[in-house]
């Protein structure tokens, strides 16, 4: 069993922001590593996670601590907004290939829905196939979005 990097003693409501800070510190490898990453002393990091201390981590520092392996802040924010955070890694391929795939997947999803609703309603037996097509279309668009966001002029 892997030992957690950060194990505070005080209980805390898991939905509070300081609980997200605790999870982020643990995901970052513990308070000393988190402190180095965000440029503060370890006692300050402990204070950010302590429900009995009014110190709060700044948004800029939360962003600096966040990474593909430190997702606690994104997860907490998504929960507050009524959603869920699911990291999606970039797919290989050119922007043209990813754009073509996104258009193809969206067309297939739209066609599936139009065919399923040809009789004026979406039956439960048709719903699963429609959801699968929609999920594939959403994933293709997200992969395209990640690729567009990671490409910079001159890359």
């Amino acid at each position: 069993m892997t030992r957690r990097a950060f194990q505070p003693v005080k209980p805390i409501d898991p939905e509070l922001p300081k609980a997200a800070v605790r999870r982020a510190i643990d995901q970052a490898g513990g308070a000393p590593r988190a402190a180095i990453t965000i440029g503060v002393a370890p006692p300050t990091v402990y204070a950010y996670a302590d429900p009995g201390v009014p110190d709060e981590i700044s948004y800029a520092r939360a962003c600096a601590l966040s990474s593909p392996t430190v997702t606690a802040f994104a997860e907490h924010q998504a929960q507050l907004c009524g959603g869920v955070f699911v990291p999606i890694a970039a797919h290989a391929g050119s922007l043209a290939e990813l754009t073509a795939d996104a258009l193809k997947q969206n067309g297939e999803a739209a066609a599936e829905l139009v065919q399923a609703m040809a009789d004026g309603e979406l039956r439960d037996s048709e719903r699963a196939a429609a959801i699968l097509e929609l999920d594939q279309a959403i994933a293709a668009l997200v992969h395209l979005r990640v690729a567009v966001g990671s490409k910079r002029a001159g890359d």
Side-chain angles (χ1 to χ4, degrees):
M1 181 173 175
T2 306
R3 185 174 172 264
R4 290 183 43 199
F6 184 66
Q7 299 175 329
V9 183
K10 293 180 184 176
I12 190 168
D13 181 339
E15 294 184 4
L16 291 177
K18 289 217 178 203
V21 173
R22 284 185 178 186
R23 288 191 303 275
I25 293 167
D26 185 50
Q27 291 170 348
R33 285 187 181 173
I36 291 168
T37 301
I38 63 175
V40 299
T44 303
V45 172
Y46 285 108
Y48 290 157
D50 187 337
V53 177
D55 296 14
E56 298 285 343
I57 191 168
S58 72
Y59 183 73
R61 286 193 170 122
C63 289
L65 190 56
S66 295
S67 71
T69 58
V70 181
T71 58
F73 296 119
E75 293 163 2
H76 184 257
Q77 194 66 31
Q79 179 186 11
L80 290 175
C81 296
V84 63
F85 174 74
V86 180
I88 298 182
H91 267 27
S94 70
L95 288 178
E97 291 169 328
L98 292 170
T99 301
D101 184 52
L103 289 169
K104 176 180 175 265
Q105 295 295 339
N106 278 277
E108 289 174 358
E112 179 70 33
L113 280 171
V114 169
Q115 287 175 341
M117 295 186 307
D119 60 359
E121 63 180 288
L122 184 62
R123 292 181 176 21
D124 288 341
S125 60
E126 300 163 322
R127 194 173 310 279
I131 289 172
L132 177 63
E133 291 291 339
L134 287 167
D135 286 348
Q136 290 171 349
I138 290 167
L141 281 172
V142 171
H143 291 137
L144 176 60
R145 167 62 178 87
V146 169
V148 168
S150 66
K151 301 287 184 189
R152 303 283 185 244
D155 283 355

